[in-house]
Amino acid sequence: MIQVSVIGHGEIGSALTHMLAQRSDIVVESWDKNIDIVPGQKSLSIIIPSSDVVCICVPTWSARSALQTIAPLLAPQTIVVTLCKGFEKETCMNAHELFRRNLPSTTPLVFLGGPMIAEELLADTPTIALAASADARARRAITELFQGTILAIRETDDVDGAIMAGALKNVYALGLGIGDALGIGSNAHGALVVIAAREMALIVQKSGGRPETAFGLSGLGDLVATAQSANSTNYTTGIRFAQGLPPLRGSEALNTITCIASTLENLIPKLPFLEAIRAVVLDGKDAREAMKNVLS
């Protein structure tokens, strides 16, 4: 039997649990800091040491706390899978940096990204995801873990590219939400997707990743899925910004745009779509005025 622990029983954590529990050779233990969400859950001190795989399904802003709790409990060969797609606000570390600094150096780490809208996974709708890791054995193990489920896995060793593309797609999904709320239409929406992909590729390359990763599952694939889903927090946050309303809940895009704006300040003027998003989110500029330059 393969034992998997899923930490965080929100939408994506619930979806992973649902998928993996359908395999008879996998035992899934779910855990959430809110004990009312997973009644009767076992303690981390019981489930983590015996886990073959630990999936971290919490927002990036909660990841450090989760990692510091589970790190001392991990067995040497336990694979940690992260679905975090953002930056830590206080340090501007991306998910890869954050996990590597807070886990034992020998812990195999896999980033799982791509178009994985939780509601569709829970409805058993098939999709394809990307497993990114420098550890080929760990990548293969996660690919095999999801065999027989509705989630097919592709593999890459471009961790920097996959992590950055996954974080950026949140920002550009927010931007597409802004555009759609302004009534730009399907033609302009399609043009913005192309502009977003090109800008993502440039940022990914500047960040040490391979630009083609931005056009793959964790970048363009996830962006297209996210920016047409009413279930997407980042997309609906963009809609609310265009309407002059505050976000309803935390959005990974907000921390990411703040960190990108501070670390890539000299590059942003060359990225009109990102500059427009930054102007609306961080400077409070009128959304319609900010978007004029992107589509001209």
Side-chain angles (χ1 to χ4, degrees):
M1 299 294 287
I2 303 169
Q3 180 153 325
V4 179
S5 292
V6 178
I7 309 304
H9 201 65
E11 293 174 347
I12 193 64
S14 300
L16 288 190
T17 299
H18 170 75
M19 285 189 292
L20 294 173
Q22 295 181 35
R23 280 188 46 171
S24 60
D25 59 339
I26 295 178
V27 175
V28 185
E29 297 284 357
S30 296
W31 186 93
D32 196 277
K33 65 180 181 179
N34 183 349
I35 60 175
D36 294 330
I37 294 178
V38 188
Q41 66 183 16
K42 298 175 183 177
S43 70
L44 291 176
S45 62
I46 292 176
I47 66 174
I48 297 298
S50 59
S51 295
D52 299 295
V53 177
V54 175
C55 299
I56 307 296
C57 300
V58 301
T60 308
W61 58 79
S62 300
R64 182 182 293 270
S65 174
L67 292 171
Q68 291 176 344
T69 300
I70 71 167
L73 304 173
L74 288 167
Q77 294 305 310
T78 298
I79 299 172
V80 172
V81 176
T82 172
L83 287 88
C84 291
K85 300 177 181 178
F87 285 71
E88 186 179 45
K89 182 179 180 179
E90 295 79 9
T91 65
C92 279
M93 288 184 191
N94 66 34
H96 187 221
E97 295 171 311
L98 183 61
F99 274 66
R100 277 277 62 113
R101 292 198 184 194
N102 287 279
L103 289 175
S105 59
T106 56
T107 297
L109 177 62
V110 178
F111 168 77
L112 193 62
M116 291 184 291
I117 294 172
E119 289 78 7
E120 295 188 11
L121 298 178
L122 286 166
D124 296 321
T125 305
T127 188
I128 305 174
L130 183 70
S133 178
D135 187 324
R137 183 193 68 84
R139 293 197 306 266
R140 175 50 46 186
I142 299 308
T143 298
E144 293 174 354
L145 183 71
F146 286 95
Q147 285 180 353
T149 75
I150 51 90
L151 188 64
I153 303 291
R154 303 292 183 264
E155 300 178 28
T156 183
D157 62 356
D158 185 16
V159 180
D160 289 334
I163 286 282
M164 182 60 76
L168 288 170
K169 71 89 187 173
N170 289 326
V171 174
Y172 286 102
L174 186 153
L176 287 163
I178 292 173
D180 288 349
L182 296 175
I184 61 172
S186 298
N187 291 333
H189 180 101
L192 285 180
V193 170
V194 173
I195 294 169
R198 289 176 177 170
E199 292 189 6
M200 288 166 63
L202 180 58
I203 299 171
V204 164
Q205 185 174 31
K206 291 289 185 180
S207 303
R210 297 195 287 268
E212 58 266 27
T213 299
F215 296 99
L217 290 165
S218 63
L220 181 58
D222 202 359
L223 173 62
V224 170
T226 302
Q228 62 182 15
S229 172
N231 295 311
S232 165
T233 298
N234 295 295
Y235 177 68
T236 54
T237 294
I239 292 174
R240 290 183 65 82
F241 266 110
Q243 295 170 340
L245 300 172
L248 287 174
R249 55 179 174 167
S251 165
E252 293 277 21
L254 300 182
N255 290 342
T256 298
I257 188 63
T258 300
C259 290
I260 292 294
S262 62
T263 58
L264 296 176
E265 184 177 358
N266 294 333
L267 183 62
I268 286 184
K270 302 176 183 178
L271 307 168
F273 196 2
L274 187 67
E275 169 59 22
I277 299 167
R278 185 203 63 77
V280 173
V281 173
L282 300 184
D283 298 341
K285 188 173 181 177
D286 176 76
R288 193 171 299 278
E289 186 65 27
M291 293 294 287
K292 280 183 179 179
N293 293 333
V294 186
L295 293 168
S296 61

